[in-house]
Amino acid sequence: MTSQMSTDGVTEQSFTLGEITGILFTPQDATGPRPLILMGHGGGQHKRAPGIVAGAHRFAGEGGFAVAAIDAPSHGDRPKSEQFIQLASDMRARMAADEDATEPATAIHTLLAGQTVADWQAVLTAVQEFDQVGAGPVGYWGMSMGCRFGVPLLAAEPRIRAAVLGLLGARGLTDTAAQVTVPVRFLLQWDDKMVPRDQALALFDALASTDKTLHANPGGHGEIPAYETDDTLRFFTRHLG
């Protein structure tokens, strides 16, 4: 642990694990084990992205969960590889020109996915050693790029019991999604210009979970209604305790 602060009834503890940089959120003065939620940020974001911090405070402050968020490789406080810099520049240029940026975005996800899954597994093992976390049930939340890394993590990690995913299509993930069997809430923005609707529906369909629900709302990429966080909190409470 590198630093600690508490606000609005939630304690934030920054940590490093090798080159991984992250934050552990817990209820203030928390003692004893509790369920853990891993939160994966979107592309170009980091562990302190506003949506991550707001969600973590809701899950910890209202739900009593522990929440871990980390910087994905080449994001946040972690060094950026030259290959990532080139792909990210290409993606931004295409988006600025209102062109299809799927190719560089997919290449970024492919470049980082394997290391991110390994990072999450290492972090999960490490934070469960803390008394205020313990080896209890684990959930995962990830939108957009966080979903891209969450699907292979769910397929590889049996300790995760439930997940909230979304804002991503099936490209390159169909076979891996077929290995996901935990309960899933999947969020889709009906007017998303970054993720074709048919691709998002295809990813939902590919998930092998028998307990899965699709939540579609009007609006563009990232414009998830605030009430979805309320439902997500109830979802994790139901499946993680």
Side-chain angles (χ1 to χ4, degrees):
M1 292 295 183
T2 58
S3 65
Q4 177 175 314
M5 66 177 186
S6 296
T7 56
D8 299 325
V10 176
T11 297
E12 301 179 12
Q13 295 174 286
S14 297
F15 66 84
T16 59
L17 180 64
E19 65 177 27
I20 305 168
T21 48
I23 306 173
L24 178 66
F25 302 83
T26 53
Q28 190 170 347
D29 301 323
T31 58
R34 65 200 59 252
L36 170 68
I37 299 173
L38 310 178
M39 294 192 72
H41 64 74
Q45 298 183 358
H46 50 80
K47 62 184 179 297
R48 283 201 176 275
I52 296 294
V53 173
H57 273 249
R58 289 287 308 277
F59 299 152
E62 294 183 31
F65 297 101
V67 181
I70 64 172
D71 291 322
S74 291
H75 286 73
D77 294 324
R78 300 179 68 169
K80 296 175 175 59
S81 70
E82 286 300 322
Q83 188 176 1
F84 171 83
I85 292 171
Q86 292 173 5
L87 290 169
S89 178
D90 182 21
M91 184 177 70
R92 286 193 296 269
R94 294 192 187 196
M95 292 174 64
D98 202 23
E99 297 176 355
D100 185 2
T102 302
E103 183 179 347
T106 301
I108 288 173
H109 294 170
T110 302
L111 173 67
L112 304 181
Q115 183 180 349
T116 305
V117 170
D119 287 351
W120 270 126
Q121 290 181 302
V123 167
L124 172 53
T125 297
V127 299
Q128 285 193 320
E129 293 295 322
F130 290 105
D131 291 339
Q132 70 271 37
V133 181
V138 182
Y140 180 85
W141 181 100
M143 298 293 117
S144 195
M145 189 182 77
C147 176
R148 174 60 181 84
F149 300 150
V151 172
L153 175 62
L154 292 169
E157 182 47 72
R159 288 176 290 182
I160 300 178
R161 297 188 186 180
V164 177
L165 305 171
L167 306 187
L168 192 74
R171 186 188 299 267
L173 279 179
T174 302
D175 291 343
T176 307
Q179 302 173 46
V180 175
T181 58
V182 299
V184 172
R185 278 173 54 89
F186 192 91
L187 306 185
L188 181 156
Q189 289 300 103
W190 205 248
D191 308 299
D192 194 335
K193 293 183 179 180
M194 293 183 63
V195 180
R197 190 183 304 162
D198 61 338
Q199 282 291 307
L201 292 171
L203 179 55
F204 173 77
D205 190 51
L207 295 165
S209 308
T210 56
D211 181 354
K212 61 180 181 179
T213 55
L214 176 69
H215 297 248
N217 293 285
H221 193 78
E223 297 176 351
I224 300 172
Y227 58 74
E228 287 290 357
T229 302
D230 299 333
D231 289 345
T232 292
L233 183 55
R234 287 191 288 268
F235 171 84
F236 280 132
T237 300
R238 183 165 68 251
H239 289 289
L240 305 181

